Amino acid sequence: MESPIVTSSSVGMQILIYLLVILMLLISLTIHELGHFTFAKIFKVNVKEFSIGVGPCLARRTTKQGMRVSLRLIPMVAYVMLDSSRIRKLYEDEKENKDYKWWMAKPPKGKIVLEQAKIWQYLLIMFGGVLFNFTLFLLLYAPLFFWMQHLGYLFAPFQQIGTAFVNVGKNMIFRGGGDVFDPAQIDAIIKSKHWVLILFVILSQMNLITFIFNIIPLPPLDGWKILSYGIQKGTKKEINEKVELIMTVIVLVLFIYIFVSGIICDFIR
């Protein structure tokens, strides 16, 4: 069944689509971090901070056990910071830092640092994020499929995301790639006033995209954390921090370039 053909020419509509994507991305990333958080809590690993967004802190609450719950300025990322020997090592010479005592505080009674978790517990904590994303995608898949079929729209998330990755590659070299989300379909749903449907469609796809990206074995993604953990356990050697930092910066710059090039190409079209 073909989706209705509607031309996406309004700049305002394009901006609205981006705002919806950013909102659903933030929700997907929060769900992802909730997966890490849940398994960390189950295995008694001390959680230092649960943050929605990055950058300057807008609001913060500290629990009785010393965990910070933060809302930050840039709503593009969410993260859970787990207590670990590695993080403590980074801050052990930063005594002038106002958060020094918070960083170095002993875990609450009955809590452990990440390195003290058993191997299978560590892996479940690292895999918890993508597990939550994929589970939510599966829960949304069936009702969205039948709902969109009933309304006359096509819902083929794996095909659409496959096409999206091809378009991302074309956008990166400015070779006339298409939109990551089908603008014709999104415009048609918006104009039919099925707002709840469009939100859930984007949410399901963002959870699937978050799942796919995070299993890639590149820092700072979960796939890398699992791979590097296996390498360290197998070789009994720590991963070189400078090499890991350089790789992390390269990957983050690449992601920013993908995002910016996609926006530029969309508005050029």
Side-chain angles (χ1 to χ4, degrees), residues 124-158:
L124 276 175
I125 292 171
M126 291 300 107
F127 194 69
V130 293
L131 179 62
F132 269 45
N133 287 132
F134 196 65
T135 298
L136 180 58
F137 166 75
L138 291 178
L139 290 174
L140 292 173
Y141 181 84
L144 282 175
F145 178 82
F146 289 111
W147 190 0
M148 291 188 70
Q149 287 284 103
H150 175 72
L151 294 174
Y153 303 123
L154 176 67
F155 183 62
F158 290 100

Side-chain angles (χ1 to χ4, degrees), residues 1-17:
M1 186 179 298
E2 296 293 331
S3 57
I5 298 176
V6 181
T7 302
S8 180
S9 56
S10 168
V11 173
M13 185 69 71
Q14 195 73 16
I15 292 174
L16 175 61
I17 291 172

Side-chain angles (χ1 to χ4, degrees), residues 70-245:
S70 306
L71 177 65
R72 297 180 179 272
L73 180 63
I74 305 172
M76 290 295 291
V77 181
Y79 66 86
V80 167
M81 184 174 293
L82 303 179
D83 200 350
S84 71
S85 301
R86 189 174 186 182
I87 288 179
R88 290 168 179 271
K89 186 178 179 181
L90 291 174
Y91 282 88
E92 63 184 1
D93 296 325
E94 300 289 332
K95 294 184 179 181
E96 71 284 356
N97 191 306
K98 65 178 182 178
D99 288 329
Y100 176 78
K101 290 183 178 180
W102 177 75
W103 284 111
M104 305 306 291
K106 292 182 179 180
K109 186 178 180 179
K111 299 290 185 179
I112 61 175
V113 296
L114 184 59
E115 288 81 1
Q116 293 175 314
K118 297 177 181 178
I119 294 176
W120 64 273
Q121 293 175 336
Y122 179 95
L123 294 176
L124 276 175
I125 292 171
M126 291 300 107
F127 194 69
V130 293
L131 179 62
F132 269 45
N133 287 132
F134 196 65
T135 298
L136 180 58
F137 166 75
L138 291 178
L139 290 174
L140 292 173
Y141 181 84
L144 282 175
F145 178 82
F146 289 111
W147 190 0
M148 291 188 70
Q149 287 284 103
H150 175 72
L151 294 174
Y153 303 123
L154 176 67
F155 183 62
F158 290 100
Q159 176 185 337
Q160 291 165 350
I161 288 176
T163 301
F165 275 100
V166 173
N167 289 337
V168 164
K170 291 180 179 179
N171 287 340
M172 289 174 66
I173 57 174
F174 298 92
R175 287 294 187 134
D179 297 274
V180 173
F181 292 92
D182 182 1
Q185 188 177 79
I186 290 177
D187 283 359
I189 297 174
I190 288 177
K191 290 177 180 179
S192 67
K193 300 190 184 304
H194 290 109
W195 287 95
V196 175
L197 177 58
I198 188 64
L199 291 175
F200 279 108
V201 167
I202 296 178
L203 179 62
S204 70
Q205 292 186 327
M206 292 312 300
N207 272 275
L208 183 56
I209 288 172
T210 303
F211 166 79
I212 292 172
F213 264 104
N214 270 279
I215 60 176
I216 298 173
L218 290 173
L221 304 175
D222 294 337
W224 169 258
K225 293 175 183 176
I226 294 172
L227 176 62
S228 62
Y229 182 75
I231 292 173
Q232 290 178 49
K233 287 294 182 182
T235 62
K236 307 297 182 182
K237 295 181 179 180
E238 292 284 333
I239 301 291
N240 187 292
E241 291 184 3
K242 289 185 178 180
V243 172
E244 187 173 23
L245 178 60

Side-chain angles (χ1 to χ4, degrees), residues 54-70:
V54 293
C57 186
L58 300 177
R60 174 180 290 158
R61 177 179 176 271
T62 302
T63 67
K64 292 181 180 180
Q65 292 190 327
M67 184 185 80
R68 291 177 173 177
V69 181
S70 306

